[in-house]
Amino acid sequence: MNLPPKVTQRAFARLAEIGADQQGSALRIAVEGGGCSGFQYDIKLDQPGADDLVLEGQGQKVVVDSVSLPFLAGATIDFSEELIGARFVIENPNASSSCGCGVSFSM
């Protein structure tokens, strides 16, 4: 049995700040083939789908499709704000390596 991904309070707070729920949107986290390390994350605001896992907090939603779910087992979805920029980040224990930007990974 795979553990579902976790979403930090900071990530939910950022979604509330940008008004995702007011737009009827959720943060979609998907895994696609490609990128410099083999797989890449696709992170965007989107409508929840029928087969999505929905993670809720602070009135906000994060969704993961059933195909991406095994790649994100036990992962943590967070929001990072640094001098170089702000972005949603994924700490994935399944990734054996990742690129410098953190968007691409291999297993």
Side-chain angles (χ1 to χ4, degrees), residues 16-52:
E17 197 175 298
I18 62 175
D21 63 324
Q22 295 169 358
Q23 302 170 32
S25 296
L27 182 70
R28 177 170 298 283
I29 308 292
V31 174
E32 301 176 339
C36 54
S37 296
F39 294 100
Q40 63 186 2
Y41 299 113
D42 182 24
I43 302 172
K44 63 185 175 187
L45 291 179
D46 195 10
Q47 302 299 314
D51 69 336
D52 289 338

Side-chain angles (χ1 to χ4, degrees), residues 29-44 72 86-92 95 97-106:
I29 308 292
V31 174
E32 301 176 339
C36 54
S37 296
F39 294 100
Q40 63 186 2
Y41 299 113
D42 182 24
I43 302 172
K44 63 185 175 187
L72 296 168
R87 64 189 174 122
F88 288 97
V89 294
I90 300 169
E91 296 173 26
N92 192 341
S97 65
S98 63
C99 66
C101 67
V103 174
S104 179
F105 67 99
S106 63

Side-chain angles (χ1 to χ4, degrees), residues 43-80:
I43 302 172
K44 63 185 175 187
L45 291 179
D46 195 10
Q47 302 299 314
D51 69 336
D52 289 338
L53 169 69
V54 179
L55 306 164
E56 295 187 66
Q58 299 182 23
Q60 306 299 313
K61 294 179 183 174
V62 174
V63 296
V64 180
D65 64 87
S66 59
V67 173
S68 300
L69 197 52
F71 295 101
L72 296 168
T76 300
I77 300 159
D78 196 8
F79 182 75
S80 174

Side-chain angles (χ1 to χ4, degrees), residues 2-25:
N2 290 331
L3 294 174
K6 294 174 269 178
V7 182
T8 66
Q9 293 302 312
R10 189 171 37 214
F12 282 130
R14 178 59 178 165
L15 286 171
E17 197 175 298
I18 62 175
D21 63 324
Q22 295 169 358
Q23 302 170 32
S25 296

